[in-house]
Amino acid sequence: MKIRRADQRDSAALLKLYRCVADVEGGISRNTNEINESFIDEIVTKACNGGFIYVAENPFHNDILIAEIHTYPTGIQSLQHTLGHLQIVVHPDFQGTGIGRRIFSTLLQDITSNHKKIARVELIVRESNTRAITFYKTLGFREEGLFERRILNANGDLESDIPMAWFNPNFIQ
Ligand SMILES: CC(C)(COP(=O)(O)OP(=O)(O)OC[C@H]1O[C@@H](n2cnc3c(N)ncnc32)[C@H](O)[C@@H]1OP(=O)(O)O)[C@@H](O)C(=O)NCCC(=O)NCCS
């Protein structure tokens, strides 16, 4: 399986990947009907201009993507050392096979080795996604609090979100 940086040429494959992941409730916060060309275009544009975006290709069909991770800065000068808007998705057929760990580790290794001006990486995960929370902790993320009743679930219940952060050990001010 090949992990590489992505660009605009990956947009169509990313749209398919995000729709498959959004079809399963309880993972990403967007519903399938919110996953469209402009949503993908915004991710790729922002991640390719000052941020990071990696994809994993299907080992048998390199035009099909089975995982993606992106993060980018907010654009606010006082937060220039911080990456936010982080999202990771793995195709449901490939979840639990180590791809999420590989693609996330690739991102954090890149930042650790090559981006010493990045101090922190932030993400937000819904409280019930305990599998993802455990995973992020093993990568070095820590919980930073609770956004109470932030998410409206399909059944009408309100669910809390957990902000988490990772700190670059090689950060230089
Ligand atoms: C969360 C997600 C990115 C993890 O990627 P993945 O490829 O499935 O995870 P991996 O196989 O690399 O496993 C990483 C860790 O997750 C946990 N994990 C994986 N499968 C698990 C399972 N079935 N049950 C419990 N924990 C599990 C383990 O902690 C595992 O650690 P290990 O490497 O020591 O075994 C992926 O499942 C996904 O895209 N889910 C749907 C979308 C989503 O929830 N995105 C995150 C929103 S914040």
Side-chain angles (χ1 to χ4, degrees), residues 21-22 24-29 66-68 86-92 94-104 123-126 129-136 138-139 161:
V21 174
V24 182
E25 227 223 313
I28 60 172
S29 52
I66 55 173
E68 185 258 6
L86 189 144
Q87 183 76 74
I88 178 170
V89 292
V90 176
H91 190 286
F94 292 85
Q95 288 174 13
T97 63
I99 295 169
R101 184 172 294 283
R102 275 194 57 194
I103 199 166
F104 213 143
L123 60 80
I124 301 175
V125 55
R126 64 174 76 198
N129 200 347
T130 51
R131 174 183 163 184
I133 294 167
T134 305
F135 169 39
Y136 301 150
T138 67
L139 291 169
D161 249 353

Side-chain angles (χ1 to χ4, degrees), residues 31-116:
N31 298 322
T32 314
N33 62 8
E34 297 171 289
I35 308 291
N36 52 31
E37 282 83 358
S38 61
F39 167 73
I40 298 293
D41 187 54
E42 185 178 343
I43 290 173
V44 178
T45 302
K46 290 185 171 167
C48 288
N49 289 286
F52 298 78
I53 180 165
Y54 283 97
V55 289
E57 294 176 354
N58 182 312
F60 307 107
H61 307 276
N62 62 6
D63 52 337
I64 297 176
L65 300 178
I66 55 173
E68 185 258 6
I69 189 166
H70 67 262
T71 180
Y72 47 82
T74 59
I76 298 170
Q77 220 173 348
S78 60
L79 302 181
Q80 62 188 359
H81 57 285
T82 296
L83 293 173
H85 304 276
L86 189 144
Q87 183 76 74
I88 178 170
V89 292
V90 176
H91 190 286
D93 292 349
F94 292 85
Q95 288 174 13
T97 63
I99 295 169
R101 184 172 294 283
R102 275 194 57 194
I103 199 166
F104 213 143
S105 300
T106 301
L107 168 73
L108 297 180
Q109 192 56 55
D110 184 10
I111 293 168
T112 306
S113 303
N114 307 314
H115 299 275
K116 299 183 179 7

